[in-house]
Amino acid sequence: MITLLSKPGCHLCDDAREVIVRVATELGEPWEERDITRSEEDTRLYGEQIPVTIIDGVQHDFWRVDEKRLRTALADR
C-alpha cells in the first residue's frame, strides 16, 4: 500500500500524486491519500515534510517523489 500524506494547496503534493497514480496504476498497487490537516498528530509529525510517501506503513520519501526510486522500493519489498 502506498500512502501519500498531503495538504490542500500544496503544489509539491500535486506533483507527487501524479507520479504515485502513474506508478500505482501501472503496477497494480493500491494507494491512498491522507490530508494531514485533518489530524493534529499528522500535522505535528509531517507538517514540514509534505508531501510524504509511505510504503506499507514505513516512510519512504518526503518533499519530492522520484519515480525510479519509488518503483525500486516497491520491487524490493
Side-chain angles (χ1 to χ4, degrees):
M1 168 66 79
I2 305 167
T3 302
L4 171 62
L5 302 181
S6 64
K7 73 177 184 179
C10 168
H11 72 280
L12 291 178
C13 299
D14 296 339
D15 295 344
R17 185 181 309 106
E18 286 181 28
V19 173
I20 290 170
V21 167
R22 181 173 48 250
V23 171
T25 300
E26 183 180 313
L27 300 178
E29 290 283 343
W31 79 280
E32 64 181 359
E33 186 168 353
R34 195 164 80 215
D35 178 352
I36 67 163
T37 65
R38 295 181 178 262
S39 162
E40 287 183 28
E41 176 84 0
D42 282 350
T43 299
R44 184 178 62 76
L45 291 172
Y46 304 108
E48 300 298 319
Q49 297 180 336
I50 63 155
V52 174
T53 307
I54 297 173
I55 299 175
D56 298 332
V58 177
Q59 184 172 335
H60 167 70
D61 242 333
F62 62 96
W63 292 336
R64 300 215 183 260
V65 176
D66 178 272
E67 185 169 339
K68 183 177 179 182
R69 184 171 142 74
L70 178 60
R71 288 177 183 277
T72 299
L74 293 169
D76 287 348
R77 51 186 182 143

